[in-house]
Amino acid sequence: MLIVPESEIAALVSPEAAFTAVEEVFAAMARGEAYNFPVIREALGEGRQYGFKSGLDRKGAVMGVKSGGYFPGNAGRGIPNHQSTVFLFDPESGRPTAVVGGNLLTALRTAAAAAISVDRLARKDAKVLGMVGAGHQAQFQLRAAARVRDFERVIAWNYHPEMLPKLGEVAAELGLPFEAVPLDRMTEADAIVTVTSSPAASLMEAHVSPGTHVACMGTDTKGKQEVEPALLARARVFTDEVAQSVTIGEAQHAIAEGLIAEADITPIGTVIAGMAAGRQSEDEITLFDGTGVGLQDLAVAGAAVRLAAEKGVAVSVTI
Ligand code: NAD
């Protein structure tokens, strides 16, 4: 089997490669060629979270699991709080084929999912990108979204305003004017990415103009919430996987309040595969509930292994 160390990932997997891998696996899910296994997630106490996301892509011949979690004490140890490792297996024999460092891959595959939603659902003439959130993941989201539309400026809000200048530096690198704004100025945005660990809605229905695309990326657990449920009732709602969207995604709240039904949510893979319509008018609000599925992790890890083998940077071991 091969080991692809975390330190190699940046040189191997580009945002473009992550975008392609995730788009392909979303379409494979829609065609029934790939499916996710139930997620396991445990609270370990003292804020620590640990879990597994896994799945099988028959067509891509990828099976595996991402083991990972959140360990808030790590910052004091000089290592990232989020820790992920991907294990891949041969779907025919069950033999392990690879272990891949999963930290950067998680950021890349999450940014890719939102960018895919912007690419497929935002208006073609979208000019203003709104960011709600300014943490680690927000920087990846901003870079990835900027690749798929000709944005002319970025407006941003964060619960902790002192974090915004770092996001502004990323916008500057991309050559985009950046402005910190109050939430009610998000009405200026044509596409909005939310990516916070918020336990309550920040972005309200009144903060979103007709014709906007909203990608909600922060809510991946029961109890998290970034947007007002009424916004989902007003929008056409898309997701990576409906089962996760209604239980651990942003839609959990609108579903619980009876504002939308499971049948109102469209898997984005069906849009990519040409089985469902994307945006249908210039005025409608589209909303992508990006919950993060195991197959995204396996898709980018599979790409990392292929590229590492080609470049001779994978470590081969017998297990
Ligand atoms: P981070 O710790 O670097 O940043 C946290 C962000 O949340 C910051 O913008 C912070 O200001 C904001 N925040 C914290 N407490 C808040 C509160 N009470 N109200 C409003 N905002 C608050 O984390 P990150 O790595 O940027 O991840 C952000 C979120 O995205 C997390 O919830 C993480 O679990 C989630 N995530 C989702 C996926 C997915 O696939 N959907 C993948 C990776 C991360």
Side-chain angles (χ1 to χ4, degrees), residues 41 53 70 82 106-107 109-110 132-138 157-160 163 195-200 202 216-221 224 226 240 290-293 296:
R41 203 171 165 94
K53 285 187 169 177
Y70 183 71
H82 287 278
T106 299
R109 64 76 145 147
T110 306
V132 175
H136 175 73
Q137 192 60 41
W157 178 88
N158 194 43
Y159 184 74
H160 302 103
M163 295 170 78
V195 62
T196 68
S197 50
S198 175
S202 310
C216 301
M217 305 308 296
T219 298
D220 55 0
T221 304
K224 286 189 192 171
E226 298 193 285
D240 41 23
T291 64
V293 294
Q296 276 170 267

Side-chain angles (χ1 to χ4, degrees), residues 57-250:
D57 177 356
R58 284 204 180 84
K59 189 120 183 285
V62 177
M63 180 171 77
V65 56
K66 179 171 87 168
S67 149
Y70 183 71
F71 300 84
N74 283 2
R77 300 182 185 102
I79 51 176
N81 288 347
H82 287 278
Q83 287 294 324
S84 295
T85 311
V86 184
F87 299 83
L88 299 179
F89 299 85
D90 176 352
E92 294 305 319
S93 67
R95 293 284 299 160
T97 55
V99 178
V100 188
N103 292 349
L104 178 57
L105 286 179
T106 299
L108 289 170
R109 64 76 145 147
T110 306
I116 289 164
S117 83
V118 173
D119 190 38
R120 296 280 171 173
L121 299 171
R123 295 191 330 270
K124 297 281 181 232
D125 65 351
K127 294 291 178 225
V128 181
L129 174 62
M131 295 291 306
V132 175
H136 175 73
Q137 192 60 41
Q139 302 185 19
F140 289 88
Q141 303 297 151
L142 172 51
R143 286 182 202 282
R147 285 185 49 246
V148 296
R149 285 290 181 276
D150 290 327
F151 290 113
E152 292 177 350
R153 63 189 176 99
V154 178
I155 56 176
W157 178 88
N158 194 43
Y159 184 74
H160 302 103
E162 68 278 10
M163 295 170 78
L164 284 166
K166 263 235 138 355
L167 193 62
E169 286 171 23
V170 175
E173 264 178 50
L174 298 168
L176 290 168
F178 180 89
E179 189 183 1
V181 296
L183 274 167
D184 57 12
R185 279 194 52 200
M186 278 293 150
T187 50
E188 295 170 25
D190 302 307
I192 301 173
V193 179
T194 66
V195 62
T196 68
S197 50
S198 175
S202 310
L203 188 74
M204 301 297 169
E205 187 199 351
H207 299 149
V208 180
S209 292
T212 303
H213 173 64
V214 186
C216 301
M217 305 308 296
T219 298
D220 55 0
T221 304
K222 225 175 170 45
K224 286 189 192 171
Q225 183 175 20
E226 298 193 285
V227 308
E228 189 179 23
L231 181 61
L232 280 87
R234 184 173 156 214
R236 282 190 58 227
V237 181
F238 298 80
T239 189
D240 41 23
E241 191 187 76
V242 173
Q244 285 196 186
S245 172
V246 300
T247 51
I248 59 172
E250 196 59 45

Side-chain angles (χ1 to χ4, degrees), residues 230-299:
L231 181 61
L232 280 87
R234 184 173 156 214
R236 282 190 58 227
V237 181
F238 298 80
T239 189
D240 41 23
E241 191 187 76
V242 173
Q244 285 196 186
S245 172
V246 300
T247 51
I248 59 172
E250 196 59 45
Q252 64 181 285
H253 306 287
I255 290 276
E257 291 182 24
L259 293 175
I260 63 167
E262 197 169 314
D264 296 328
I265 306 175
T266 305
I268 196 156
T270 60
V271 178
I272 298 165
M275 298 156 63
R279 168 170 294 277
Q280 290 178 344
S281 82
E282 294 294 288
D283 283 346
E284 74 179 351
I285 293 173
T286 51
L287 185 147
F288 176 65
D289 185 5
T291 64
V293 294
L295 282 168
Q296 276 170 267
D297 297 300
L298 306 188

